[in-house]
Amino acid sequence: MSSKNPILLSNCTADAISNAAAALQSGALVAFPTETVYGLGADATNESAVAHIYRVKGRPADHPLIVHIGQLSELDQWAIDIPDYAIDLARDYWPGPMTLILKRSTKAKDFITGGQASVGIRIPANPIALALLREFTDGIAAPSANRFGAISPTTAQAVKDEIGQYLNPKRDLILNGGPSLVGLESTIIECLEELPRILRPGAITAEMIEESTGLKIEHSKSQTRASGLLDTHYAPKAKVLLLDPINPVVSCIAGVGFIAAANHPTPDGAIRLASPNNDDEYARGLYEALREGDRKNLPAIYVIPPSGDGVAIAIRDRLQRASCEGGSLR
Ligand code: TXA
Ligand code: MG
C-alpha cells in the first residue's frame, strides 16, 4: 500500500464504520458504497468539508449535491412542503435507487443546493451506507465518487483509481463494500409541482412511479439544473460508438472493445468487455466494462444497447451521453 494513497478499509467491521463516522464529523471525506454507485461523502452541514468534495471531483461549485439520510423521519429536517406523492414514493422505494428533489428547508444551504430553492434527498439501500448514516446521525452529502464528467465508480478500487490521488491520505477514507448491485446512478424525480417529473432515469422506472403515486409523469422540460443532464457526461476516455440493436453492422474493428448482451456474438478481432444475460446484469456491469476498456487503452468501444423498457431506458440514457463527441475525445 502506498503511503500517498488513502487506505482502502475492509469495510463491514463496526470499527471501520465508527472511524468513518468520526472522520465525517471531523470534516474529512468518506467514499462509501451504495447500491447504485459509490458516493464521495461529507457532512452535509459543513461548508468546508463540502468544498473539499468539489475540489476532489473537479466539479463546478454551482452543481447541487444529493443529501443521503438514514431514515424517513429525517426527511423534514431537509425539505418542506413535501407533496403527498413524494411521500408515497419514499414509502414505496426507500431505501432504494431514487432521489427526490424537494423544496429545501433552511438546513439545506446554498453550498448543498448550488443556490437553488430545492434539495435532492435519498435513502440508499446498502447495509454499509445505512450503518454509516446511523452512526453519523445526520445527512451525508455525496455525489458519485468520480472526477467531473467521468464514469461513476461501482467498486472501491475504481474510486481509488478515479480520485485516490486527490484525497488526503491522513484524513479521508474509502470504505470497500464490494461491487454496487444496481450499477447506475439513482432515478432523480423532481417533486416541486403537481406531477412528478423524471430528471434522470434509473432503476426506479416511470411505470413504478406512476404505480406508486397514481399520477401521470410530467413530460415538459424542467427549469432545474443537474450535471447528470449535461449532454457530455459518464464518458470513458475511449470513443464510445453505439450500434443499432436490430442491425449491428460492425466492420474494421480489430482491437476495439465490444459490449453487448450475451446473445450477440463477438465480432472478429474485437475485445469482449461484457456479455450480460439480462438488463439488470447489463446495468450492473456497464461502468466496469467501460473502465476495463480504458485500462486496456482501447481506442474505441462498440456497444449494442439493450432495446427494452425498464432499466434499459437508463442504460441507453447513460450510453448516449458517454458517446457524445466531446466527452469521448477528452
Ligand atoms: O445514485 C446516486 O444518485 C449517486 C449515489 C452516490 O447516491 N449519487 C449521484 O450524485 O449520482 P451526483 O452528484 O453524481 O449526481 C446527482 C445529480 C446531479 O446531476 C445533480 O445536479 C442532481 O443530482 N441534483 C442534486 N440536487 C439537485 C437539486 N436540488 N435539483 C436538481 N438536481 C439536483
Ligand atoms: Mg455523478
Side-chain angles (χ1 to χ4, degrees):
M1 193 187 320
S2 148
S3 60
K4 278 198 183 138
N5 279 330
I7 299 163
L8 282 180
L9 287 179
S10 62
N11 77 56
C12 318
T13 65
D15 273 0
I17 303 284
S18 311
N19 285 342
L24 288 172
Q25 225 100 48
S26 74
L29 301 185
V30 175
F32 61 97
T34 85
E35 81 283 26
T36 57
V37 300
Y38 275 67
L40 177 62
D43 176 350
T45 65
N46 181 332
E47 183 163 11
S48 70
V50 170
H52 193 189
I53 291 183
Y54 285 95
R55 276 198 299 278
V56 169
K57 275 191 69 91
R59 183 184 204 177
D62 62 348
H63 283 255
L65 297 175
I66 296 171
V67 177
H68 296 70
I69 58 175
Q71 46 191 348
L72 199 47
S73 57
E74 293 165 40
L75 182 59
D76 59 10
Q77 292 177 30
W78 293 96
I80 55 171
D81 300 343
I82 303 168
D84 289 348
Y85 69 79
I87 301 289
D88 290 339
L89 289 168
R91 284 214 187 94
D92 285 345
Y93 302 128
W94 275 348
M98 175 182 79
T99 296
L100 299 182
I101 304 298
L102 299 161
K103 195 163 164 191
R104 70 167 166 182
S105 73
T106 52
K107 184 167 177 173
K109 299 283 193 294
D110 282 349
F111 61 83
I112 290 293
T113 69
Q116 299 188 89
S118 61
V119 62
I121 308 281
R122 178 163 109 81
I123 305 182
N126 174 287
I128 296 166
L130 288 172
L132 180 63
L133 285 160
R134 201 172 317 121
E135 187 96 11
F136 181 63
T137 68
D138 206 344
I140 301 177
S144 52
N146 51 279
R147 294 282 286 170
F148 183 63
I151 307 169
S152 300
T154 53
T155 65
Q157 185 60 48
V159 175
K160 195 172 174 184
D161 294 345
E162 269 285 328
I163 57 166
Q165 61 177 303
Y166 304 101
L167 293 176
N168 180 341
K170 298 209 180 77
R171 292 156 43 95
D172 303 331
L173 296 168
I174 302 172
L175 287 175
N176 182 3
S180 295
L181 286 179
V182 174
L184 294 181
E185 305 79 3
S186 60
T187 305
I188 300 182
I189 308 169
E190 189 186 84
C191 305
L192 299 175
E193 292 168 31
E194 254 164 64
L195 298 175
R197 182 189 262 125
I198 297 181
L199 298 185
R200 179 175 73 181
I204 302 298
T205 61
E207 200 178 25
M208 292 165 76
I209 296 167
E210 293 185 347
E211 188 178 301
S212 166
T213 61
L215 299 172
K216 284 280 165 209
I217 284 178
E218 176 64 59
H219 285 291
S220 66
K221 219 172 155 36
S222 166
Q223 298 307 308
T224 305
R225 280 177 296 119
S227 50
L229 305 179
L230 298 177
D231 283 348
T232 297
H233 216 73
Y234 311 109
K237 293 191 186 70
K239 201 173 171 67
V240 173
L241 295 153
L242 303 187
L243 302 174
D244 178 356
I246 312 296
N247 184 23
V249 182
V250 206
S251 55
C252 308
I253 54 159
V256 302
F258 184 68
I259 297 174
N263 61 343
H264 289 283
T266 312
D268 282 347
I271 297 157
R272 188 95 191 193
L273 297 169
S275 302
N277 288 300
N278 56 49
D279 291 351
D280 288 346
E281 266 183 41
Y282 203 126
R284 193 176 306 139
L286 177 63
Y287 287 166
E288 260 308 298
L290 293 172
R291 260 175 213 289
E292 182 60 18
D294 279 353
R295 279 195 287 269
K296 291 191 154 92
N297 258 322
L298 304 182
I301 303 174
Y302 285 64
V303 186
I304 305 180
S307 51
D309 291 341
V311 77
I313 293 173
I315 296 171
R316 289 199 299 275
D317 168 78
R318 303 307 192 277
L319 283 170
Q320 214 81 56
R321 296 173 203 284
S323 72
C324 269
E325 213 54 33
S328 46
L329 293 176
R330 280 172 316 119

